Amino acid sequence: MSSDSDSFTKYFFDENNSDISRLKLQYSFMKTMFGYPQLVPPKIDIAHISKVIDLATGTGAWVLDFASLPDVRDRNIQVFACDISTAKFPQADEQGANKINFFQHDITEPFPDELLETFDLVNVAFLCFALTEQGWKSALQNIYQLLSGALRRGFLIRLSHDLPRMLEDASLQVLTFQRPLVPFGNYCDVEKSLNGTPLSNYKAYTIANLVQLLNMVSLSMVKDGGLELADGIWITSEEGRQALMEEVTHFVIQGGSTVISDWVAMRPIES
């Protein structure tokens, strides 16, 4: 990876087996939360899709699930997936993995020429805490180059950040988006998914995931010089950070909601 791309990424989680389990639960939770029957927003007709890529695929959970759909499995759809690291890729003997072209690539870097303007569908998810703002700008420019041009529509789905301005700057046209409130902690006992599915089975996951994320972010900030709270107090010691995390953990268990963005964007049809 180049020094430029180093400044574009900021992944906070550990590269180990526990993170693989976390990512799989994360995918299962968000799949349940949005409840898309074909794993893509209704605006997208899989019947018109012939080539797909999942960027920052991690464990490959989404792309394995997508490739197993009857409408995908029974057609000659080419499926690709890439990530900056191969550490979490599925094993070769995992069901469906041999039908997917996995490769290593940093999405803030240009893609190989043979892949440009060839994809009808690009999936990108859960990168809110993985890319800097400049990293997003570079990634979107590279994604634009992947999407089909000419008289074919290429779709970019599942963006995990509030990016309307950057999408516009990358010449990508937003078709649909939604920002649902996603519960965590005890709120999972009372809130439901967008299609009414109970979420109580995910309560423990939402607590562990959010506490782990906030722990890693606060640790990074204190190491970089300090963490400023809303009341102007600065935390610069590990002791102070641990005390803060105790309060944060109690709050997370009590429950609340976060906003998750789900976008469908398109490379416009060229005249």
Side-chain angles (χ1 to χ4, degrees):
M1 191 193 314
S2 69
S3 58
D4 284 342
S5 62
D6 284 341
S7 66
F8 294 166
T9 59
K10 54 171 187 176
Y11 194 69
F12 289 106
F13 292 98
D14 295 328
E15 297 281 354
N16 53 35
N17 289 335
S18 65
D19 198 41
I20 291 176
S21 298
R22 181 191 68 82
L23 289 172
K24 288 183 176 179
L25 275 171
Q26 176 179 258
Y27 171 69
S28 177
F29 176 60
M30 295 312 299
K31 176 183 175 181
T32 301
M33 184 68 212
F34 284 98
Y36 296 142
Q38 290 193 311
L39 308 182
V40 296
K43 191 77 174 179
I44 298 172
D45 185 354
I46 292 181
H48 296 153
I49 301 298
S50 62
K51 192 173 182 180
V52 175
I53 188 168
D54 185 31
L55 304 183
T57 190
T59 64
W62 180 88
V63 74
L64 287 167
D65 208 2
F66 180 82
S68 71
L69 292 173
D71 287 346
V72 176
R73 186 182 63 241
D74 298 338
R75 296 174 54 226
N76 189 29
I77 294 181
Q78 299 180 66
V79 184
F80 291 73
C82 72
D83 198 279
I84 194 172
S85 167
T86 64
K88 301 183 182 73
F89 281 4
Q91 297 297 311
D93 59 355
E94 186 167 341
Q95 186 175 2
N98 62 340
K99 298 179 180 179
I100 300 167
N101 299 289
F102 286 94
F103 64 99
Q104 186 173 15
H105 189 80
D106 177 355
I107 67 171
T108 67
E109 297 286 345
F111 284 86
D113 289 346
E114 62 269 22
L115 296 180
L116 302 184
E117 297 190 11
T118 65
F119 290 96
D120 306 304
L121 183 67
V122 175
N123 185 65
V124 191
F126 310 125
L127 283 180
C128 188
F129 289 97
L131 297 179
T132 64
E133 181 173 350
Q134 186 55 49
W136 272 108
K137 291 178 180 178
S138 296
L140 288 172
Q141 290 171 357
N142 295 330
I143 290 168
Y144 178 88
Q145 296 299 325
L146 286 177
L147 291 166
S148 300
L151 298 178
R152 303 170 65 194
R153 296 189 179 194
F155 291 97
L156 170 69
I157 66 171
R158 298 290 301 283
L159 281 178
S160 53
H161 200 49
D162 187 356
L163 298 173
R165 174 179 54 81
M166 283 188 265
L167 286 167
E168 182 179 353
D169 290 345
S171 300
L172 289 163
Q173 176 186 345
V174 174
L175 296 183
T176 65
F177 71 92
Q178 53 184 335
R179 295 191 183 99
L181 290 174
V182 178
F184 58 83
N186 290 338
Y187 273 38
C188 290
D189 290 331
V190 293
E191 300 294 337
K192 292 182 170 60
S193 72
L194 294 182
N195 63 3
T197 301
L199 298 171
S200 56
N201 288 342
Y202 292 100
K203 180 168 71 172
Y205 153 74
T206 63
I207 294 170
N209 186 60
L210 189 52
V211 168
Q212 183 181 5
L213 171 62
L214 294 173
N215 184 63
M216 298 300 293
V217 171
S218 65
L219 181 62
S220 175
M221 295 180 74
V222 168
K223 285 183 176 179
D224 286 344
L227 169 64
E228 184 179 10
L229 304 182
D231 56 7
I233 295 176
W234 275 85
I235 295 177
T236 57
S237 69
E238 178 60 14
E239 181 181 5
R241 191 189 72 82
Q242 291 288 353
L244 173 66
M245 283 307 303
E246 288 184 14
E247 295 183 27
V248 167
T249 300
H250 176 75
F251 166 76
V252 172
I253 292 172
Q254 290 301 306
S257 297
T258 58
V259 177
I260 301 293
S261 298
D262 190 51
W263 300 81
V264 178
M266 178 184 102
R267 175 170 175 167
I269 296 176
E270 299 174 6
S271 58

